[in-house]
Every structure is written in C-alpha cells, then in structure tokens.
Amino acid sequence: MSRHTVVIADDHPVVRAGMRVLLSQDEAFEIVAESSTVPETVQTVTQHQPSVLVLDLTLAGRSSLPSIPDLLAASPGTRILVLTMQEDPAFARAALRIGAAGYLLKEAAAEELVGAARQVIKGATYLQPAMGARLATADAGAPGTDGDASLTARELQVLSLLALGHTNQEIAQRLYVSVRTVETHRAKVRDKLGTETRAELIAAAREHGLG
C-alpha cells in the first residue's frame, strides 16, 4: 500500500511529537519531515512535496497564514491541514479562502486528526464541526460579508502583510512582484472593504483573522 507523506509544522516539539504519534498509528501516513518556522516550512515543503502539511497558524511568533499561497505554489499537490488553537471563525474563513484544505483545533486533534488528514487527502475540505457551527453563526450575524468574500487570495495575502507592518516595498520583495502590483492590490482591497487609511486596513485585516 502506498503511503501518503506528511510534513508537520509546529514550533512546539511536544506538540509535534504528539502529532507524529497520532499520524504514525495509521499505516496510510509517513512522516517525512518536521519544521518550526515559516521559512523552514516553505523550504521543507518545497523539498519533500508532501501529500499533507499539518500547519500551525503561528510559528516562532510569526503568522503562517500569509504563507499558504506560497506553500501551495511551491508544492501544488500538497493539501494543507491547519491545526491551531485559534478559535475565532475569522481565522478559519481566511485560511480556507486562501487555499487551506482543512481547519482543526488542537483540542480535538487526538480524536479527529487522522480522520481530517484522510478527508483532505481525498480532495475534500475538512472543517471541524464545532468550528463549522461557529463560522455559520458568525456569517449569519455579520452583514456585508458578501463584499469580503470578493477578496482574492493574493489580496488577502497583501492585506495580511500590511497588517503585520510591512511596507509596499517589503511586500513586493516577499511576493516577488513589483511595487506597482502591490499598490494595485492594495487599492482593490481598499475599494472592496471601503477603507481609506492604513489603520482601517489593519482593522479590516484583524476582522479577517489576518492581523
């Protein structure tokens, strides 16, 4: 039986060890590498092209959310399963919108991790039931979400980097695009969200779970 390769990205060795034990109990999975920072994760995924990346949303004090499009570009066949302590539905919405295949809270990992990994391998999207209920409730109570949904993955990435304090020049370097392209994305985000100032953009990013 062919085995599905897995990379585990978490900055806590004990958590990685726990995930390794859980996934290794299933013969369908083979842990090929682990990482603890965003740059290391990008490098590891590029090298191993794993079937699944189990990704924490915070690595060494840095949000890994903006890196999801880069990880998928480096390894298009990889399915990203976010495993996090972030219970805010905005994080789940943002992660799934920019390419994650699943979202699971660490508190449920022991019971659901293997099943979630199996689901995303099959091409399905996995959202922990409790988180799905919170997301549905949040969407029902949040007017104006139709406009938010029109943000593209790249626009969400630019918004996240702006919220983290990066300048247009720095964003251009990180995304390997021109400053003019960043300015265009920023203008589109501003128009879609109805924001004018950088402070308003940062507030909007936080509403999306990107700050």
Side-chain angles (χ1 to χ4, degrees):
M1 180 181 67
S2 60
R3 305 180 75 186
H4 300 294
T5 55
V6 180
V7 168
I8 298 172
D10 195 288
D11 57 355
H12 295 92
V14 173
V15 175
R16 293 201 306 271
M19 286 190 282
R20 185 168 61 247
V21 169
L22 287 170
L23 290 168
S24 296
Q25 290 175 347
D26 192 312
E27 294 182 353
F29 298 110
E30 177 186 1
I31 313 302
V32 295
E34 299 176 12
S35 59
S36 60
T37 68
V38 172
E40 184 181 5
T41 299
V42 174
Q43 181 180 1
T44 302
V45 167
T46 301
Q47 177 183 351
H48 292 278
Q49 303 283 302
S51 305
V52 179
L53 168 65
V54 181
L55 177 68
D56 191 1
L57 279 187
T58 303
L59 297 176
R62 174 178 165 186
S63 172
S64 64
L65 196 58
S67 70
I68 289 178
D70 293 334
L71 289 163
L72 292 173
S75 182
T78 295
R79 301 285 283 169
I80 297 178
L81 174 60
V82 172
L83 182 63
T84 180
M85 294 179 66
Q86 294 288 357
E87 299 182 5
D88 188 336
F91 285 93
R93 183 187 299 110
L96 296 174
R97 191 180 296 169
I98 62 176
Y103 195 96
L104 178 65
L105 295 178
K106 287 184 176 179
E107 64 186 30
E111 296 81 13
E112 299 185 44
L113 179 58
V114 172
R118 282 185 167 274
Q119 286 296 314
V120 300
I121 282 291
K122 294 177 182 178
T125 297
Y126 183 88
L127 182 61
Q128 182 180 343
M131 179 57 66
R134 292 174 191 168
L135 191 59
T137 301
D139 286 344
T145 52
D146 287 345
D148 294 353
S150 68
L151 290 179
T152 67
R154 182 61 94 185
E155 287 164 358
L156 281 166
Q157 198 174 20
V158 169
L159 179 60
S160 177
L161 291 170
L162 284 169
L164 292 172
H166 293 287
T167 65
N168 288 355
Q169 180 69 40
E170 290 169 340
I171 295 172
Q173 292 173 349
R174 289 176 65 89
L175 301 182
Y176 303 103
V177 298
S178 68
V179 173
R180 183 181 294 274
T181 297
V182 172
E183 292 171 347
T184 298
H185 287 310
R186 183 170 174 170
K188 289 180 178 179
V189 169
R190 190 168 56 243
D191 290 342
K192 290 179 180 180
L193 298 184
T195 59
E196 292 294 336
T197 67
R198 185 183 186 90
E200 290 174 338
L201 281 174
I202 292 173
R206 288 173 178 166
E207 290 176 3
H208 284 74
L210 299 174

